[in-house]
Amino acid sequence: MSTRPSRRVVLGSSVAGAAAALAGGVPSATAAAGEADTRWEPDEGQTYSVPGLRRPVRMTVDRWGVPHIYARTVGDLFLAQGFNIARERLFQIDTWRRRGLGRFSEVLGPSYVEQDRAARLFLYRGDMADEWASYGPLAREAATRFAAGINAYVDWLGDHPDALPVEFRKLGYQPARWEPEDVVLIRSHGIGNNLGSEVARARLMHLAGAQASACFRKLEPARTPTVPDGLELGLIPADVTRVYSLATAPMIFTNGTLRRLSDDTHLLRETTTGSNAWAVAPSRTETGRPILAGDPHRENYGLPANRYIVHLSAPGLDIIGAGEPWNPGISMGHNGHVAFGLTNLPADQADLYVYDLDPADHSRYRYRDGWETLTTVTEEIAVEGGEPRAAELQFTRHGPVVKIDEQHHKAYAVRTVWTEPGTSPYLGSLNFLRARDSRQFVRAADVWRTPGSNLVYADTSGDIGWVPGALVPRRTGKGYDGLLPVPGDGRFEWDGFHDPADLPRVHNPRAGFFVSANEFNFPPGHPIPAHEWQPAYRKDRIHEVLARQRRTSLADTLALQNDERSGVARQFLPYVTRLSSSDATTAKALRLLAGYDGVTHKDSAGAALFETWMMRFLYPAWAQLLLPKQAADQLVGVSIDLDLRIVHDSFVRPDDWFGTDGARRRDELILGTLAKAYTEVASKLGADDSRWRWGAMHLHMFVHPLGSPMVGPVERGGTFATVRSSYYYYRAYPYSEVLGPTFKMALDVGEWDNSRAVNAPGQSGDERSEHFTDLHDEWSTGGSFPLLYTEEAIERNAGTRLLLQPRH
C-alpha cells in the first residue's frame, strides 16, 4: 500500500459504489484483450473521477512501482498514462515543459527571462499539420489524450491541495495545464552531439592548426578538417554557444534559484551521451529464445532520473518498457511481439553558421551576392511580480541567431534538424509500438528522426537485428563536413536529407548476435552521418564476452551489463608494466599497476591509481608535450570526455607523434606522471596503498533540482571505458559520476515475465511515495527486479490498485 496521502475522491460516488461499478463491467487485465475477467478492486482511497475518460481504466502498481494500466480504448489508455505520470512525476514534467517553452519567468521572476528567451529560439515553428502527420496516425490522438490526462490530475489537485508536490510549495507556484502541442513543439531536450565540438575545434585550430584538431578527437573515417574559405577562426567568441547551452541544458536550482551548467559541462552532456544495446539470436541462448538487453546512458545525477517504466494495455496495444516521462508511449521495451532497445547514433544534426553583417545595418547579413534581412519575432514573456518583457528573437534563413558580435560585424546562428517536422525527440517510437514482427518494426523505424539512434530489435519468431534511425543532412560545399563552423553566405548548405533506405541495416547477423555501443558502425558504401563516434571499448568488451558464450543466459546478460573491465586499462597497462624506476614513489606506482587486472571494481586499489594517473596527470602532460601551452590548456579545458584513443595511438606510433626517439619520450612521459598520480591518491586515501579503493574516490549521488533531498553518496566502480558505464567529473575530488545508466533492461523474448529491469533511484518523483528511492540500493549493487507482463504475475506482485472512473 502506498504511503502517499489519501486520495479518495467522492464526487458523487463512494468507493463501495465504484467497486460495484467495477463488478459490472470494468475490464481486467486480460479482459482488455478480450479474455476472461478476474476479480479486482481498487484500494481504499485510490478511485479517481477523471474528466475526458470514456470507459473505466484500472491500474495495478506492482511492488517495484511499475504501473500496469488497462483500458478499453487506446485513447483512454494515453489519457490514463498522462494522469499517472502527473500523479508520479508532476514537478519533473512541469519543469520540462516550462524550460522547453520558455515559461519560467512567469512563475519565478525576471532572473529567468534570458533562459526563457533562449528556449523560445529553438521551438518548432513550422506547419503543425505536417508536424502531426510526420509521426504517423497515432501521434495527435496520443498527445491530445496524454495532455488531457495531465490536466485532469492538475485539476484534481485543485480540489486536493494537500496532495500538491512539495516542490511547488517551496517555489510558490502552481503546476500548469498542458496543450497537446506542448508535447511536440519542444525540441531542446534532444541530443545535439557535436555543436560544441565544432566551436572547440575551431578555437583549438586557431591556436595550433591541424595538429590541435588531431589531438582533440579521433575522426572516423579518418579525416583532416578543412577550414572553410572565409571563416576567421580567431573571431569565434568563446561564449558563442552560451545561448544554445541555456536553451538545452537541464534545470538545476540552488536555494530556489536556477544554476546554469557551465558550457564545458554541457559539452560533456552533448558528446558523451551513449548507451549499450545488444540482441542474441536463439541459436546462441540457453533457452532457444532471443535475448535483448539495453541500458541508455544519460545524466544520472538528477532526482528523479529521466526514464519512467510503464505498462500500457488496450485492444491492439500492449507495451511495457521505459520512456521519457513527458512523452506518450515508450521508447525501449517490448510489445509482446518485438523487443526493442536503442543507443545514441551520433548523427551530426547541427551546425554553427557565421555571417557577415552589413556594417551600416546589423539587421542585414550577407547571402550570396546580396543582403538578406534578419527575421525578427517579438514575443512577450510574462514575469512574475513585474511587467511583461519583450523578447526579440532573430532568425536567419538557417536558424536562430545565438550571438551578434557588434565590434566585428558578425552574427552566429545554429542550424538544426529541429526546424523540420517530426523531430520531437523519441516521439517517433509511437510508430513501432504496434509492430507484429521485425519487418514491421524496421519499416516503422524509417520515421524515426531524432535523436539519432541505433535501434536494436528481437522478435518472438527469433529474428534479431539493427536499423539506424536519424534525419541526416546532405551537406554541400567544398570541404563541408560538419566539423567546423561555416560561413552562412550560401556556399555551404543542406541539400535535403538522406533517405532512410540509404542507411545500412543488419538482419540476423552471422555471428548470432548484434552489439551497439555508440561506436563507428557504418560500413563503406553508405552515407556517413558523423565523424565523431564514441570509442569502441564497450562494444568490443560486449562482443568479446558474447562470442565466447555458446549459450547465453539471462543471468549472463545481467552480469555483462555490470561488467567493469576497462578497455583503456587493457591498452595502456602493457606500456607501464615493462618499465622500472629508481625513484621510490614511481617504483611503488609501477608495483601497484603491475598487479592491476584492469577491472575497475570499487574495491580496486589499482583502479584508483590508474584512473587518477590517466585522467588527471597523463593527459594534461601529453597535451603539453605536443601543443603550445595555450592550445594545450584549451584542449584540457574542453576535453571533459578525454579521447584516449588518440593518446594510445601516440604510444603505438611514438616517432610519428613525439619525433625522433619517440619511444624514450613516451616512457619519460609515463614515468614522470606516475609519481604525481601516486602522491595525489596517497594524499586522499592514505600512505598504505593496500587500503586504497577506487570506490572511495568515485562516488555517485542523486540530487534533486532544488538541492534537497539527496540520495547517496554511494561508491561506484566502472569508467567511461567499461560496459557498466560511468562518466565522472575528474577535476574535483571526490570524482562524481555524472552520466551513466539509471534504467536497464534484459528481456527474455517470448517468455516476458522472466525479463528483468531496474530504474534508479525509484519510479516516483514524489518524495512522499514509497517508490521515490526504493530501487536505489538494488541499482547501486547491480541488481534488478522482474519486469512483469502477464496479469497473473502482476497480480501476485501487486502493490497499489487504482481505478480511474469517467466523470459524467
Side-chain angles (χ1 to χ4, degrees):
M1 178 67 67
S2 173
T3 58
R4 189 185 305 278
S6 175
R7 297 185 175 181
R8 178 175 179 174
V9 184
V10 182
L11 295 177
S13 65
S14 66
V15 173
L22 179 64
V26 174
S28 73
T30 50
E35 300 175 12
D37 202 356
T38 60
R39 294 180 58 84
W40 187 93
E41 64 179 35
D43 293 335
E44 181 179 359
Q46 297 293 347
T47 299
Y48 300 80
S49 178
V50 180
L53 203 63
R54 294 172 184 142
R55 301 288 297 274
V57 174
R58 61 181 288 254
M59 184 189 316
T60 298
V61 181
D62 66 27
R63 292 164 47 195
W64 302 280
V66 176
H68 304 264
I69 305 174
Y70 303 95
R72 284 285 179 89
T73 69
V74 170
D76 278 354
L77 185 64
F78 284 121
L79 189 148
Q81 185 186 11
F83 188 91
N84 177 69
I85 201 63
R87 189 182 70 89
E88 292 281 44
R89 300 280 189 95
L90 185 57
F91 180 69
Q92 183 185 39
I93 65 172
D94 187 82
T95 298
W96 173 83
R97 176 186 171 276
R98 289 190 181 278
R99 182 195 66 79
L101 294 178
R103 301 192 63 175
F104 260 111
S105 299
E106 67 183 19
V107 293
L108 293 178
S111 61
Y112 291 82
V113 169
E114 184 183 14
Q115 170 91 20
D116 286 349
R117 178 188 175 276
R120 295 181 187 209
L121 283 168
F122 289 93
L123 290 173
Y124 175 71
R125 294 174 179 270
D127 183 84
M128 284 306 299
D130 291 344
E131 171 71 0
W132 288 119
S134 64
Y135 301 105
L138 188 59
R140 189 164 192 170
E141 180 185 17
T144 300
R145 302 301 297 280
F146 183 76
I150 295 172
N151 292 339
Y153 188 76
V154 170
D155 291 345
W156 182 86
L157 285 175
D159 295 329
H160 302 79
D162 289 346
L164 184 72
V166 297
E167 295 92 343
F168 294 103
R169 298 179 188 176
K170 290 179 179 178
L171 293 173
Y173 65 87
Q174 294 294 311
R177 292 174 57 82
W178 287 46
E179 298 292 336
E181 290 77 13
D182 295 345
V183 175
V184 297
L185 293 180
I186 301 170
R187 309 297 212 220
S188 52
H189 58 295
I191 302 170
N193 287 311
N194 88 325
L195 189 71
S197 296
E198 285 186 19
V199 176
R201 178 175 289 105
R203 299 184 69 225
L204 283 166
M205 290 179 66
H206 168 65
L207 294 172
Q211 175 69 1
S213 177
C215 292
F216 179 44
R217 286 211 169 91
K218 183 175 181 179
L219 302 179
E220 300 173 288
R223 188 174 182 87
T224 300
T226 301
V227 179
D229 183 39
L231 180 66
E232 299 175 79
L233 297 179
L235 293 183
I236 296 176
D239 65 347
V240 72
T241 60
R242 183 176 187 275
V243 169
Y244 175 79
S245 295
L246 272 175
T248 56
M251 301 293 292
I252 301 173
F253 299 86
T254 301
N255 298 323
T257 301
L258 176 67
R259 175 167 60 87
R260 192 175 70 86
L261 292 177
S262 65
D263 288 344
D264 62 349
T265 301
H266 185 63
L267 183 63
L268 166 71
R269 174 181 179 268
E270 181 183 80
T271 57
T272 62
T273 298
S275 302
N276 302 318
W278 64 90
V280 185
S283 61
R284 296 189 66 94
T285 66
E286 185 179 65
T287 64
R289 296 185 297 272
I291 291 174
L292 185 134
D295 54 284
H297 308 158
R298 298 294 299 270
E299 306 94 351
N300 67 344
Y301 49 78
L303 178 65
N306 62 356
R307 305 290 188 195
Y308 185 79
I309 304 174
V310 65
H311 181 188
L312 304 172
S313 184
L317 187 66
D318 194 11
I319 59 175
I320 187 170
E324 297 62 46
W326 39 81
N327 274 0
I330 64 170
S331 53
M332 296 163 283
H334 72 82
N335 64 8
H337 304 280
V338 184
F340 40 90
L342 60 84
T343 72
N344 181 40
L345 170 69
D348 185 353
Q349 296 179 318
D351 284 319
L352 184 70
Y353 276 70
V354 184
Y355 305 87
D356 290 324
L357 297 177
D358 181 349
D361 181 0
H362 279 183
S363 70
R364 303 201 306 167
Y365 62 95
R366 172 72 67 183
Y367 190 76
R368 300 200 185 279
D369 295 328
W371 299 98
E372 289 197 1
T373 301
L374 294 171
T375 299
T376 300
V377 177
T378 301
E379 295 188 354
E380 185 177 274
I381 297 179
V383 178
E384 192 276 332
E387 293 297 319
R389 303 285 183 88
E392 190 175 84
L393 312 177
Q394 293 182 306
F395 302 86
T396 70
R397 61 167 43 230
H398 300 118
V401 175
V402 295
K403 176 79 174 180
I404 289 183
D405 182 347
E406 302 279 356
Q407 178 183 357
H408 297 101
H409 313 296
K410 299 285 187 183
Y412 299 84
V414 173
R415 185 172 196 176
T416 72
V417 300
W418 297 342
T419 59
E420 298 295 319
T423 55
S424 181
Y426 301 103
L427 205 58
S429 60
L430 290 172
N431 286 283
F432 50 71
L433 297 184
R434 285 172 164 161
R436 308 289 288 186
D437 56 32
S438 62
R439 288 178 297 176
Q440 291 185 12
F441 178 85
V442 170
R443 285 198 298 270
D446 284 346
V447 182
W448 184 286
R449 296 184 176 184
T450 64
S453 296
N454 297 286
L455 303 170
V456 181
Y457 62 84
D459 68 15
T460 52
S461 67
D463 290 338
I464 67 169
W466 159 73
V467 56
L471 191 63
V472 180
R474 296 180 182 270
R475 291 179 170 85
T476 63
K478 183 178 179 181
Y480 182 21
D481 52 18
L483 292 173
L484 288 166
V486 291
D489 56 14
R491 292 175 296 132
F492 304 93
E493 294 292 347
W494 291 5
D495 182 20
F497 302 92
H498 288 284
D499 190 292
D502 296 340
L503 306 182
R505 52 197 62 188
V506 171
H507 184 70
N508 291 334
R510 181 176 299 180
F513 56 86
F514 183 85
V515 181
S516 173
N518 320 113
E519 80 289 351
F520 176 45
N521 61 353
F522 269 49
H526 295 276
I528 301 299
H531 288 279
E532 294 182 324
W533 305 74
Q534 289 291 300
Y537 302 125
R538 288 180 282 113
K539 184 265 182 181
D540 289 345
R541 177 59 178 166
I542 297 168
H543 192 282
E544 174 188 38
V545 172
L546 292 177
R548 71 171 182 238
Q549 290 175 350
R550 298 297 299 274
R551 292 291 183 265
T552 298
S553 68
L554 206 66
D556 294 331
T557 304
L558 295 169
L560 183 52
Q561 286 183 321
N562 288 300
D563 189 281
E564 295 176 340
R565 185 170 296 279
S566 167
V568 169
R570 176 179 293 182
Q571 286 185 334
F572 281 88
L573 283 173
Y575 292 97
V576 177
T577 55
R578 60 182 181 76
L579 299 178
S580 62
S581 176
S582 59
D583 176 75
T585 302
T586 306
K588 289 179 182 179
L590 290 169
R591 175 191 53 76
L592 183 57
L593 292 182
Y596 177 41
D597 60 3
V599 178
T600 59
H601 191 273
K602 65 181 181 179
D603 292 330
S604 171
L609 176 59
F610 182 85
E611 293 300 315
T612 301
W613 169 62
M614 181 66 62
M615 305 293 277
R616 285 181 55 80
F617 293 95
L618 177 67
Y619 186 81
W622 173 85
Q624 295 286 352
L625 187 61
L626 290 170
L627 296 173
K629 185 180 187 310
Q630 189 177 3
D633 290 344
Q634 175 87 8
L635 175 64
V636 173
V638 299
S639 297
I640 296 179
D641 62 319
L642 309 183
D643 195 339
L644 298 177
R645 295 172 295 180
I646 300 173
V647 182
H648 179 254
D649 184 63
S650 74
F651 279 25
V652 173
R653 300 184 295 114
D655 288 349
D656 293 343
W657 284 82
F658 304 124
T660 305
D661 204 14
R664 178 186 59 79
R665 300 183 72 187
R666 175 198 63 203
D667 293 347
E668 288 176 348
L669 174 66
I670 294 171
L671 295 173
T673 52
L674 271 176
K676 295 177 181 178
Y678 189 95
T679 301
E680 166 94 354
V681 179
S683 72
K684 307 298 184 184
L685 302 183
D688 183 358
D689 61 28
S690 68
R691 301 174 67 86
W692 292 358
R693 300 172 55 257
W694 173 225
M697 307 180 72
H698 181 215
L699 302 176
H700 179 270
M701 179 181 292
F702 287 104
V703 182
H704 192 278
L706 297 185
S708 177
M710 296 180 286
V711 182
V714 293
E715 297 183 351
R716 300 289 280 165
T719 74
F720 72 91
T722 61
V723 179
R724 213 295 294 161
S725 182
S726 171
Y727 285 85
Y728 59 89
Y729 192 72
Y730 61 87
R731 293 180 184 168
Y733 181 86
Y735 308 147
S736 300
E737 179 179 286
V738 294
L739 190 147
T742 53
F743 166 73
K744 298 181 182 181
M745 65 181 185
L747 305 181
D748 186 344
V749 178
E751 288 293 332
W752 302 111
D753 286 341
N754 295 337
S755 302
R756 309 286 297 188
V758 72
N759 192 33
Q763 280 278 95
S764 180
D766 188 331
E767 62 185 79
R768 299 164 295 184
S769 169
E770 64 182 313
H771 298 302
F772 185 52
T773 61
D774 59 323
L775 299 176
H776 179 262
D777 290 347
E778 195 76 63
W779 170 81
S780 66
T781 57
S784 61
F785 64 82
L787 187 64
L788 302 178
Y789 190 60
T790 65
E791 179 192 14
E792 181 182 7
I794 292 162
E795 290 304 320
R796 282 200 308 266
N797 292 277
T800 304
R801 296 178 175 87
L802 303 89
L803 175 65
L804 309 186
Q805 289 274 55
R807 178 187 291 178
H808 298 296

